[in-house]
Amino acid sequence: MTDPVPNPGPLSRRTMLRTLLVAAAVVPLAACSGKEDALTAQANSGDGKNYIAGDGAVEEYEVAKRSEPVTIKASTYHGTDIDFTQWQGKPVVMNFWYAACAPCRIEAPDLKKIAEELGEKVEFIGVNVRDEAEAAKAFERTFEIPYESIQDTDGNIQLAMTKYVPLQAVPSTLVLDRQGRVRARVIGAVEPSTLKSLINTALTEEL
């Protein structure tokens, strides 16, 4: 029998994220399918087949180097028509996710809290890269997500945003400035303090 491992004391959020990946991935959703369970297993295997783990690295783009405004039009899982051009005038947070993604489940409560705190000052939209409606809606109910998501299983939105979000790099989060241009990206689960800082900058910066 080995000696007990000493208590290392409080864990940082980054350390907690790494240690909870496996546990979070296997928490069941009412509508999860066997296929999603297989994807979770691949995510945790580290073989890179269906998942690229990010470390929460942040990249910001100065005004002169930002691309043209995002002009995506789509419908959400709930049938709401989305037109990004109608959101110009305030920042937009785009979060790429899917239900069996372990870090997506870990960051979901933080995204919910920030979206509720900011209210109408900022638009939040999810981009689900893998799930049909049943699984996506079950995730939204489980985590009480206050904003809607677009289904992108055909990959059209990912392809349009590959300059900023590598394919299969999920979760990833983009913050658009008030003109609808990408001003920052986070590859991996986003720290709440980091996201708040990026949003506050987008709210106040001169364009």
Side-chain angles (χ1 to χ4, degrees):
M1 179 178 297
T2 58
D3 293 332
V5 178
N7 186 345
L11 295 175
S12 68
R13 179 179 171 83
R14 187 66 52 79
T15 301
M16 185 178 296
L17 174 60
R18 288 195 298 266
T19 57
L20 289 179
L21 286 180
V22 174
V26 299
V27 175
L29 280 175
C32 278
S33 67
K35 180 179 179 182
E36 289 168 337
D37 291 340
L39 291 173
T40 305
Q42 286 184 353
N44 290 316
S45 72
D47 59 15
K49 290 181 180 178
N50 287 284
Y51 176 78
I52 298 175
D55 60 0
V58 179
E59 185 168 0
E60 298 185 75
Y61 305 94
E62 57 185 76
V63 173
K65 295 183 178 180
R66 294 176 196 171
S67 64
E68 294 299 312
V70 176
T71 58
I72 293 170
K73 293 182 180 181
S75 295
T76 71
Y77 286 106
H78 299 274
T80 303
D81 291 329
I82 298 296
D83 183 347
F84 276 58
T85 62
Q86 294 180 348
W87 290 340
Q88 291 183 14
K90 56 184 174 180
V92 176
V93 175
M94 296 178 67
N95 178 251
F96 291 76
W97 68 282
Y98 63 93
C101 159
C104 299
R105 303 173 73 90
I106 291 173
E107 71 176 3
D110 294 322
L111 293 172
K112 162 185 159 59
K113 183 177 179 180
I114 294 171
E116 290 176 339
E117 286 177 353
L118 293 174
E120 295 183 357
K121 293 180 180 179
V122 179
E123 292 289 345
F124 277 70
I125 186 72
V127 180
N128 187 298
V129 304
R130 202 166 278 176
D131 299 320
E132 298 299 327
E134 186 179 0
K137 290 180 178 179
F139 182 100
E140 292 174 347
R141 290 193 299 270
T142 298
F143 293 99
E144 300 179 336
I145 302 300
Y147 52 88
E148 297 186 32
S149 285
I150 300 166
Q151 181 175 347
D152 190 42
T153 50
D154 58 10
N156 287 336
I157 296 175
Q158 292 180 82
L159 287 173
M161 306 304 294
T162 49
K163 178 178 179 180
Y164 303 102
V165 179
L167 292 176
Q168 300 182 357
V170 181
S172 292
T173 300
L174 300 180
V175 178
L176 312 188
D177 66 19
R178 286 177 283 112
Q179 291 186 10
R181 303 169 299 184
V182 177
R183 77 161 310 278
R185 73 171 185 181
V186 182
I187 304 298
V190 63
E191 295 276 355
S193 59
T194 297
L195 182 57
K196 286 182 179 180
S197 177
L198 294 174
I199 293 171
N200 286 335
T201 302
L203 281 166
T204 59
E205 70 179 347
E206 295 185 6
L207 300 174

